[in-house]
Amino acid sequence: MGALVPATPHPTVELRRVTAGGITLNVALTGEGPAVLLLHGFPHTWELWTDILDGLAAHHRVIAPDMRGIGASDPAADGYDAGTLATDAEALLEALGETSATVVGIDAGTPPAFLLAMRRPELVRRLVLMEALLGRLPGAEGFLAHGAPWWFGFHAEPGLAEHVLPGHEARYIDWFLDSGTLGHGVRPALRDAFVRAHTGSEALRRAFSSYRALATSAQQIQAETDSGRRLTMPTMTIGAHPVGTALEHQVRPLADDLTGHLIEDCGHIIPLHRPDALLGLLRPFLAT
């Protein structure tokens, strides 16, 4: 369980194994106050949020899990669709004794954050969605004009990527970390933590499983919107490169109270590329 040791020392962070909804998650906890739940994407672990933890923990209880099957959370054979991941998040909050939380999702963490808010509006006090698309909802046509990003198809083909990549994981993960920070990369310790979490065919299979569940997730998202439910809580979308404002355009027709932001000169991995800019948006949103 080497992944239980943070790549960067966090003297205020407690790593706890929490059983929630039949699975055991590795969860980073810090701070006191109203809960903020942070849901990471690919190819990350909870340490994606390293550079904003202290800024949030000053006034909030920050909850940052390794998502199902990722990092030091227990392996899971299935359940990587957005609906099940939303249920994981709901169960985690319940296991930690939280009756409401601000939920923040980025990349693959965005669809489950959205579904949790649609299904359990009394549980989600505020919602922040970043750098992802929500299924096939209208609004992302410009982003998708030339097709989905190349890795979506590669990751979605069962048995392919996890057969091809073993032995080359570091180079592959580096590509995402470099492109997601517009060439800046991330600190070596964090980079090594992300590589460790995605090394080996089984770890890769689990990491790619959310891509293989995209059709199911899209159906779940469509079903919630077709039901007439809306995002009734204050909601914020944050875009960067490459998603830009596409997510905002998808969410705006569904939200009663939406604020959209675009961080200029920022790559996809907002919490590591532009943490100060992100905190500058999150803190006032959480305080209102």
Side-chain angles (χ1 to χ4, degrees), residues 36-40 49 52 56 101-106 109-110 113 124 126-130 238 278 282 285-286:
V36 177
L37 176 64
L38 306 175
L39 304 179
H40 68 76
W49 311 104
I52 68 169
L56 293 179
T102 294
V103 180
V104 181
I106 189 170
T110 288
V124 179
R126 295 177 181 277
L127 178 66
V128 181
L129 304 173
M130 297 187 283
I238 304 176
L278 178 56
L282 289 178
F285 182 70
L286 294 173

Side-chain angles (χ1 to χ4, degrees), residues 235-265:
T235 300
M236 180 164 64
T237 60
I238 304 176
H241 176 80
V243 177
T245 59
L247 177 60
E248 178 186 350
H249 293 155
Q250 287 188 308
V251 173
R252 188 162 294 283
L254 305 171
D256 292 343
D257 180 4
L258 176 66
T259 302
H261 293 282
L262 177 66
I263 302 179
E264 301 286 351
D265 300 318

Side-chain angles (χ1 to χ4, degrees), residues 2-285:
L4 284 171
V5 180
T8 305
H10 292 285
T12 63
V13 171
E14 173 195 0
L15 291 180
R16 186 186 304 179
R17 298 191 66 74
V18 180
T19 299
I23 63 169
T24 300
L25 301 175
N26 178 51
V27 184
L29 300 165
T30 185
E32 295 182 356
V36 177
L37 176 64
L38 306 175
L39 304 179
H40 68 76
F42 173 86
H44 316 135
T45 67
W46 72 266
E47 292 183 77
L48 169 72
W49 311 104
T50 294
D51 292 346
I52 68 169
L53 288 179
D54 289 344
L56 293 179
H59 300 288
H60 297 85
R61 186 191 193 195
V62 182
I63 303 166
D66 284 340
M67 301 288 277
R68 168 185 287 253
I70 305 300
S73 289
D74 280 1
D78 52 23
Y80 295 91
D81 58 279
T84 301
L85 295 175
T87 300
D88 290 347
E90 179 182 352
L92 175 59
L93 291 173
E94 180 179 359
L96 292 173
E98 297 292 348
T99 58
S100 69
T102 294
V103 180
V104 181
I106 189 170
D107 190 74
T110 288
F114 171 81
L115 285 178
L116 179 59
M118 292 285 276
R119 294 172 175 178
R120 292 291 310 277
E122 76 285 0
L123 182 63
V124 179
R125 186 171 57 252
R126 295 177 181 277
L127 178 66
V128 181
L129 304 173
M130 297 187 283
E131 277 296 285
L133 297 183
L134 292 171
R136 294 182 287 271
L137 296 183
E141 294 80 8
F143 177 80
L144 295 172
H146 301 291
W150 64 264
W151 59 88
F152 274 57
F154 181 46
H155 293 175
E157 182 63 30
L160 177 59
E162 63 266 41
H163 177 75
V164 172
L165 290 174
H168 306 281
E169 294 95 338
R171 184 174 181 183
Y172 193 65
I173 299 304
D174 279 344
W175 186 88
F176 288 94
L177 299 180
D178 290 344
S179 64
T181 56
L182 303 185
H184 291 274
V186 303
R187 298 187 298 280
L190 284 174
R191 176 263 192 190
D192 292 348
F194 296 150
V195 170
R196 284 198 305 272
H198 297 84
T199 292
S201 59
E202 272 304 297
L204 290 168
R205 181 195 65 78
R206 295 192 297 271
F208 299 145
S209 290
S210 63
Y211 293 88
R212 294 166 192 176
L214 282 174
T216 299
S217 299
Q219 292 169 358
Q220 294 164 341
I221 291 167
Q222 192 65 54
E224 290 301 320
T225 60
D226 288 347
S227 74
R229 295 189 182 95
R230 296 182 57 79
L231 296 172
T232 55
M233 69 292 297
T235 300
M236 180 164 64
T237 60
I238 304 176
H241 176 80
V243 177
T245 59
L247 177 60
E248 178 186 350
H249 293 155
Q250 287 188 308
V251 173
R252 188 162 294 283
L254 305 171
D256 292 343
D257 180 4
L258 176 66
T259 302
H261 293 282
L262 177 66
I263 302 179
E264 301 286 351
D265 300 318
C266 181
H268 179 67
I269 311 176
I270 299 171
L272 291 176
H273 189 197
R274 297 286 301 279
D276 291 342
L278 178 56
L279 280 172
L281 297 176
L282 289 178
R283 283 186 198 152
F285 182 70

